[in-house]
Amino acid sequence: MEHIVLDPAFRGAQIRNNFGATLLDLRHTTLNPGKTYMDVECNFGGIELYVPSEWNLSVKADTNLAGYTDKRLINRSREYMASATDEKELIICGKLTLSGMEIKN
């Protein structure tokens, strides 16, 4: 499944993937202030996410013989300039089993 989000603001998602692949492109949308959640469940498959490098991103997914990587090119100077007032964050939670998730920009 391939999906490009064109909504003005991304409000979260649920991804369920068994024995397949999912591609989700978030480069044409923004985040609302606060935390936005994405719930993933992937078994024997793969998830490919395109996320802008300026987004704050946390992955809190449980993995069982699986893994995830954040391959975004991030401006390291932005990390030092980030402050506690940066209030937009995408949190990816869920479960990956015998699967992989790759985050790119």
Side-chain angles (χ1 to χ4, degrees), residues 35 37 58-62 68 89 91-95 101:
K35 296 180 180 182
Y37 292 91
S58 297
V59 179
K60 298 179 181 181
D62 294 329
Y68 55 86
E89 182 178 17
I91 299 173
I92 301 173
C93 52
K95 186 174 181 181
M101 181 170 65

Side-chain angles (χ1 to χ4, degrees), residues 3-66:
H3 186 73
I4 300 172
V5 178
L6 298 174
D7 294 338
F10 180 65
R11 293 176 281 160
Q14 287 186 340
I15 297 175
R16 301 287 180 257
N17 183 354
N18 293 307
F19 297 98
T22 300
L23 183 144
L24 182 63
D25 189 344
L26 302 174
R27 295 176 292 183
H28 304 286
T29 188
T30 61
L31 288 175
N32 285 325
K35 296 180 180 182
T36 303
Y37 292 91
M38 179 184 298
D39 184 37
V40 298
E41 184 177 327
C42 187
N43 300 303
F44 302 97
I47 298 173
E48 189 173 352
L49 300 174
Y50 287 91
V51 177
S53 60
E54 63 271 6
W55 285 17
N56 290 327
L57 176 70
S58 297
V59 179
K60 298 179 181 181
D62 294 329
T63 59
N64 185 14
L65 297 174

Side-chain angles (χ1 to χ4, degrees), residues 68-101:
Y68 55 86
T69 57
D70 188 349
K71 293 186 173 183
R72 296 180 297 160
L73 298 174
I74 298 174
N75 183 353
R76 294 294 174 201
S77 63
R78 183 191 177 282
E79 288 181 11
Y80 298 115
M81 295 171 22
S83 66
T85 61
D86 203 4
E87 59 202 38
K88 297 179 182 180
E89 182 178 17
L90 176 63
I91 299 173
I92 301 173
C93 52
K95 186 174 181 181
L96 302 169
T97 304
L98 293 165
S99 304
M101 181 170 65

